[in-house]
Amino acid sequence: MNEKIKLEVKCNEERMIAFRRDLHRYPELSWQEIRTTNRVVMELERLGISYRRMEPTGIVAELVGAKPGKMVALRADMDALPVVELSDTLSYKSQNDGKMHACGHDAHTAMLLCAAEALVAVQDELAGTVRFIFQPAEEITEGAEAMIQQGAMEGVDNVFGIHIWSQMPTNTISCTAGPVFASADVVEIKFTGRGGHGAMPDACIDATVVASAFVMGVQAIVSRETDPLEPAVFTVGRMEAGTRYNVIAEHAVLEGTVRSFHPQVREKMEHAISRFAKQIAATYGATAEVNYRYGTHAVINEEVSATLAQRVAVSSFGDGVLYSDRPTTAGEDFSYYLQEAPGCFALVGSGNAEKDTEWAHHHGRFNIDEDAMVRGAELYAQYAYTYLMENPE
């Protein structure tokens, strides 16, 4: 643990919180983070950190230490959600109608900038390079791939990310080895029957009935075909069929998502859902078209990196800081960085009932306990510092 980093983060806490509130006041959706990108650039220029703008939004910046060594990357996402903010008492409530930082990405960006400022203070001690990745479009799981395609992970030896987590108590930290977030895939199914008059069902093939039979029976794939020790979730979130009360639907369209932690489960779910949809359709004389799209991979923390993060957290904040949180079936495109280099993803608790910050992510009342940001910023910086100092080239 570097005392200078700890002191720098604490000294810059007010600036960090003010920056976070500014981003919260003016949220921008995926691929629209123009103001956010410009605000980050202004801070990097103030700190004298070299950077490169990405297309269409996002930034990659680098702080080169005084001594040669490896490269560690720190990532923060920047985009907001199409959510209406429901809190009326916040002085920094969203000014952009229908848009809100309902997942904490404003805090991630502010924490990473604060960490960058702290690392500038120890630049003369660093043996290696810290790369800062300010990523757009995480909420639509496109940003990480785009950043990687533009060279964000070239030369990186280790990568570390943080997510503020309202479901954990403020100032706790979780960074367990193994699965943390699930893979997140999208399934689209179109059933085609034969439409006709609602009074003459015998002359038709009702796509609504076919789709309903699929929804009612498909969970048997999870309960009877999937290893109960390797969990999977299949949720049908949208169903559209029919045009009028007395017209039998010729088409029915379903959309859903599959979540899992293991590649073999993911592959099995893909084949089983397609098989089941086509067999159900055939039972009724209909047809089925299945489009299964792979989304984010599962976030699986590499053991050595996760152990390092835990050790850094305890060294900086004491034994009681570690929190053993269960994996979540939410998705996170940080997984793409872990395909390029070893690393890990930590959760920093910000749930505080007294401050009304225990609302679920993506909820219109979501907010964070800003006391958690100091630990998040320091964890970023201490992780990078420790990795470089303990892993000489």
Side-chain angles (χ1 to χ4, degrees), residues 149-187:
Q149 289 168 4
Q150 295 179 62
M153 289 294 289
E154 290 179 4
V156 171
D157 297 294
N158 191 274
V159 61
F160 180 63
I162 288 177
H163 207 301
I164 282 286
W165 207 242
S166 66
Q167 310 306 298
M168 284 167 41
T170 295
N171 294 331
T172 57
I173 293 170
S174 176
C175 191
T176 56
V180 181
F181 281 70
S183 58
D185 301 333
V186 178
V187 184

Side-chain angles (χ1 to χ4, degrees), residues 64-94:
V64 180
K67 308 167 189 175
K70 293 191 174 183
M71 180 184 292
V72 60
L74 305 177
R75 176 270 205 166
D77 39 16
M78 306 191 302
D79 53 330
L81 286 157
V83 172
V84 175
E85 187 151 29
L86 300 177
S87 300
D88 294 322
T89 58
L90 294 181
S91 61
Y92 50 91
K93 181 180 178 180
S94 172

Side-chain angles (χ1 to χ4, degrees), residues 19 36-44 59 78 109 113 134:
F19 189 88
T36 304
T37 296
N38 289 337
R39 290 288 288 114
V40 171
V41 163
M42 289 173 60
E43 291 300 302
L44 292 172
I59 309 112
M78 306 191 302
T109 304
L113 279 170
F134 294 92

Side-chain angles (χ1 to χ4, degrees), residues 194-375:
R194 184 169 60 247
H197 199 293
M200 304 171 186
D202 56 306
C204 308
I205 299 173
D206 193 338
T208 303
V209 172
V210 180
S212 299
F214 173 84
V215 172
M216 293 302 293
V218 73
Q219 294 304 328
I221 292 174
V222 175
S223 66
R224 288 297 177 267
E225 296 189 38
T226 304
D227 186 336
L229 300 181
E230 297 181 348
V233 172
F234 178 38
T235 295
V236 177
R238 175 176 172 265
M239 177 173 174
E240 182 178 317
T243 58
R244 198 169 186 270
Y245 76 95
N246 64 345
V247 176
I248 288 177
E250 184 156 337
H251 302 288
V253 177
L254 306 181
E255 293 180 350
T257 184
V258 172
R259 307 297 171 104
S260 65
F261 296 104
H262 304 283
Q264 66 270 23
V265 174
R266 194 182 197 186
E267 184 177 345
K268 187 171 186 176
M269 290 293 292
E270 176 188 7
H271 295 309
I273 289 169
S274 180
R275 182 201 73 227
F276 190 78
K278 292 174 181 179
Q279 289 180 347
I280 283 287
T283 299
Y284 290 90
T287 60
E289 299 174 32
V290 181
N291 179 20
Y292 191 105
R293 290 187 288 112
Y294 278 39
T296 60
H297 306 292
V299 175
I300 301 177
N301 284 344
E302 188 248 345
E303 186 173 2
V304 173
S305 299
T307 301
L308 172 62
Q310 293 169 18
R311 182 159 49 86
V312 167
V314 171
S315 176
S316 295
F317 312 120
D319 291 332
V321 72
L322 293 183
Y323 186 95
S324 183
D325 198 31
R326 297 186 303 168
T328 173
T329 48
E332 234 295 343
D333 74 356
F334 184 81
S335 58
Y336 289 104
Y337 299 110
L338 293 176
Q339 302 292 308
E340 304 293 320
C344 59
F345 194 65
L347 303 178
V348 173
S350 67
N352 187 336
E354 294 181 0
K355 296 183 179 180
D356 197 31
T357 62
E358 293 183 316
W359 292 94
H361 292 252
H362 294 205
H363 192 280
R365 293 193 182 278
F366 175 84
N367 198 9
I368 70 164
D369 182 352
E370 291 174 325
D371 289 345
M373 293 178 65
V374 167
R375 292 197 175 182

